């Protein structure tokens, strides 16, 4: 393993597991290992602890414990919500979503379109925002479900989800939101909204990978996606992943305790990072600056390749990304930035920095110390940068006219 100091700024991809979460999980590997479905008290005490975790998660979301279903991940939760709604309303074959969803929703909807469903993919503007008039116009009598993420994983742009949920309900459609990035970063009180289903993932909340949650409002028609046993009140079959469920319950507690820090200290770190990076020539921030998560900054450095920036940052111990970790194998520009109309020369050089409770001023200092040199070195070998400089020089020449 590398001995270079790690500066981890990729928390929208995954997070460090909190020590408090690990401590809560450990007894359930070798000490309290009973099956929570067993009739004996050894298993019964485990079930009681799962019920406690359910209450902890419900408290974070402003929901009732019986509305919480534990799953394996955010993707399972998203897919379950979409498929449950379509099975509950077989005569409704229209789905509304956005062009900037996480692949967990976007790819599922694209598959539905290939299978004969009609899917409306709503556009966003240059700031990454939705036009609420377009949203309302897209919802029809035959719309089974409207699925709009609460916060974008690449830009951090926050959508007015409660308002959109109200629009969906007014027209008789189920409303689902992928809140994987929002939970723990923005206050949520589901009982005060008309949201029917909400998905989240534990590993974005300082829990190990392998556990998620699907919130289903009481009274919402629901068909299980995974069939089998009676677990989760018959809504999600499969023996419960007890240690991880205990862990996500503890993480929900920590998220409530740290919400204020996330929106003050962490936000201030993000802002200082962003302000420092904008001093680099031909650099811009992507996403509405007034409607973003407090931890996320998506910055484009024009005329350089994002992958090259990431490799040079990695050599310095800095972890960031060029978009969703779930699409990191693709060399195509981010579908989110393309939907926003970010110029090709900027989209290819976009880097997402996403902070967490564990980041410090020293982390920001480290990035700001090295980033200007990285960009300068890469632009020296970039034919696009050279061409841009030549064009700019020609434009400044008296008597020059565009070809």
């Amino acid at each position: 393993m590398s001995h270079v100091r790690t500066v981890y700024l990729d928390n929208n991809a995954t997070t460090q597991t909190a020590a408090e979460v690990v401590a809560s999980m450990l007894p359930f590997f070798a000490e309290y290992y009973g099956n929570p479905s067993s009739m004996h008290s050894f298993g019964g005490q485990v079930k009681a602890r799962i019920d406690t975790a359910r209450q902890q998660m419900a408290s974070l979301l402003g929901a009732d414990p019986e509305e919480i279903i534990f799953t394996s991940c955010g993707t399972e939760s998203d897919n379950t919500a979409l498929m449950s709604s379509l099975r509950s309303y077989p005569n409704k074959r229209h789905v509304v979503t956005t062009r900037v969803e996480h692949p967990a929703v976007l790819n599922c909807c694209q598959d539905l379109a290939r299978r004969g469903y009609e899917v409306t993919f709503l556009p966003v503007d240059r700031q990454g925002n939705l036009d609420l008039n377009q949203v309302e116009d897209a919802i029809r009598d035959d719309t089974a479900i409207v699925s709009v993420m609460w916060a974008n994983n690449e830009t951090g742009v926050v959508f007015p989800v409660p308002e959109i949920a109200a629009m969906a309900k007014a027209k008789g459609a189920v409303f689902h939101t992928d809140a994987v990035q929002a939970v723990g970063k923005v206050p949520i009180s589901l009982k005060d909204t008309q949201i029917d289903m909400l998905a989240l993932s534990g590993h974005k909340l300082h829990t190990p990978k392998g556990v998620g949650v699907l919130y289903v409002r009481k009274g919402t028609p629901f068909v299980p996606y995974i069939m089998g046993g009676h677990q989760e009140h018959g809504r999600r079959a499969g023996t419960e992943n007890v240690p991880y469920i205990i862990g996500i319950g503890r993480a929900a507690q920590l998220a409530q305790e740290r919400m204020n820090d996330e929106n003050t200290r962490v936000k201030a770190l993000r802002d200082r990072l962003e302000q420092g990076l904008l001093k680099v020539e031909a650099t811009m921030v992507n996403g509405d600056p007034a409607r973003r998560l407090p931890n996320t900054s998506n910055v484009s450095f024009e005329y350089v390749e994002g992958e090259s920036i990431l490799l040079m940052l990695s050599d310095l111990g800095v972890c960031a990304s060029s978009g969703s970790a779930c699409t990191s194998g693709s060399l195509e520009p981010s579908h989110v930035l393309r939907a926003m109309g970010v110029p090709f020369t900027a989209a290819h050089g976009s880097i997402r920095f996403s902070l967490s409770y564990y980041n410090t001023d020293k982390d920001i200092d480290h990035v700001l110390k090295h980033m200007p040199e990285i960009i300068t070195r890469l632009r020296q070998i970039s034919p696009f940068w050279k061409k841009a400089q030549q064009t700019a020089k020609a434009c400044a020449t008296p008597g020059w006219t565009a070809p």
Side-chain angles (χ1 to χ4, degrees):
M1 303 295 288
S2 172
H3 295 292
V4 176
R5 175 177 177 267
T6 299
V7 174
Y8 191 76
L9 299 175
D10 200 16
N11 288 278
N12 285 10
T14 197
T15 58
Q16 172 186 339
T17 303
E20 298 90 337
V21 169
V22 174
S24 73
M25 295 171 62
L26 288 177
F28 294 88
F29 285 104
E31 187 175 356
Y32 303 112
Y33 52 84
N35 190 318
S37 296
S38 298
M39 293 295 293
H40 47 69
S41 59
F42 187 67
Q45 65 183 338
V46 175
K47 181 182 182 302
R49 289 301 301 272
I50 288 178
D51 290 341
T52 297
R54 204 181 306 277
Q55 292 170 354
Q56 292 167 329
M57 181 55 66
S59 178
L60 174 63
L61 298 178
D64 290 332
E66 55 266 36
E67 296 174 316
I68 304 300
I69 302 172
F70 291 114
T71 66
S72 66
C73 60
T75 296
E76 181 194 329
S77 298
D78 284 328
N79 276 240
T80 299
L82 289 163
M83 300 311 297
S84 170
S85 297
L86 294 173
R87 291 172 179 172
S88 296
Y89 298 98
N91 294 325
K92 293 187 173 185
R93 298 183 61 81
H94 179 236
V95 177
V96 176
T97 189
T98 79
R99 294 180 185 174
V100 296
E101 296 295 312
H102 185 276
V105 170
L106 192 65
N107 289 349
C108 184
C109 288
Q110 289 171 344
D111 181 67
L112 289 171
R114 287 191 290 269
R115 289 195 278 147
Y117 287 88
E118 186 179 352
V119 182
T120 299
F121 295 94
L122 294 166
V124 294
D125 63 20
R126 184 63 179 80
Q127 296 270 29
N129 291 313
L130 289 166
D131 181 329
L132 292 186
N133 290 324
Q134 286 185 333
V135 175
E136 189 167 25
D137 290 345
I139 306 171
R140 311 183 319 213
D141 291 339
D142 64 339
T143 301
I145 183 170
V146 178
S147 180
V148 176
M149 65 193 339
W150 201 307
N152 188 266
N153 50 297
E154 294 191 27
T155 63
V157 171
V158 175
F159 290 143
V161 163
E163 291 92 327
I164 299 173
M167 292 178 185
K169 297 306 293 179
K171 294 193 175 183
V174 172
F175 183 81
H176 157 259
T177 183
D178 177 339
V180 166
Q181 297 297 341
V183 173
K185 297 168 189 167
V186 298
I188 292 175
S189 180
L190 291 172
K191 63 186 176 185
D192 297 322
T193 74
Q194 296 188 60
I195 294 168
D196 295 304
M197 290 189 271
L198 174 148
L200 67 90
S201 179
H203 76 103
K204 308 298 171 63
L205 276 175
H206 302 287
T207 302
K209 301 157 193 66
V211 63
V213 165
L214 176 62
Y215 158 86
V216 180
R217 178 181 293 277
K218 290 178 188 176
T220 300
F222 184 80
V223 178
Y225 190 49
I226 296 179
M227 307 291 183
H230 62 277
Q231 293 86 358
E232 296 300 290
H233 302 287
R235 298 175 296 181
R236 198 276 186 182
T239 302
E240 296 91 340
N241 186 357
V242 176
Y244 285 60
I245 290 173
I246 301 304
I248 200 172
R250 183 70 178 104
Q253 279 188 314
L254 293 174
Q256 282 186 288
E257 295 168 8
R258 296 170 176 177
M259 187 84 69
N260 182 64
D261 184 84
E262 188 83 33
N263 285 275
T264 54
R265 186 187 63 85
V266 174
K267 181 179 183 295
L269 289 176
R270 187 278 309 272
D271 291 345
R272 187 164 76 85
L273 171 65
E274 205 166 75
Q275 290 160 10
L277 294 176
L278 285 173
K279 293 178 182 177
V280 178
E281 185 181 2
T283 299
M284 63 183 179
V285 173
N286 299 306
D288 189 333
R291 299 178 182 176
R292 284 186 300 164
L293 295 173
N295 79 314
T296 306
S297 180
N298 188 299
V299 183
S300 284
F301 303 90
E302 290 198 86
Y303 308 108
V304 292
E305 287 289 337
E307 288 76 11
S308 299
I309 299 173
L310 292 176
L311 288 173
M312 295 181 76
L313 284 173
S314 182
D315 288 342
L316 296 167
V318 179
C319 305
S321 72
S322 57
S324 170
C326 297
T327 57
S328 62
S330 172
L331 293 177
E332 288 295 312
S334 155
H335 74 282
V336 173
L337 298 186
R338 281 185 286 142
M340 291 168 60
V342 175
F344 182 84
T345 54
H348 263 289
S350 66
I351 302 296
R352 181 189 67 188
F353 298 95
S354 46
L355 287 65
S356 82
Y357 172 83
Y358 296 104
N359 287 119
T360 65
D361 279 302
K362 287 185 177 180
D363 295 335
I364 305 307
D365 293 339
H366 185 68
V367 176
L368 293 179
K369 176 183 177 181
H370 294 287
M371 185 59 87
E373 180 185 356
I374 288 174
I375 301 304
T376 297
R377 288 174 57 188
L378 290 175
R379 282 177 174 165
Q380 286 173 346
I381 58 174
S382 167
F384 299 106
W385 175 252
K386 293 177 182 177
K387 184 176 180 180
Q389 293 296 95
Q390 290 169 356
T391 301
K393 187 179 294 185
C395 290
T397 302
W400 181 85
T401 56

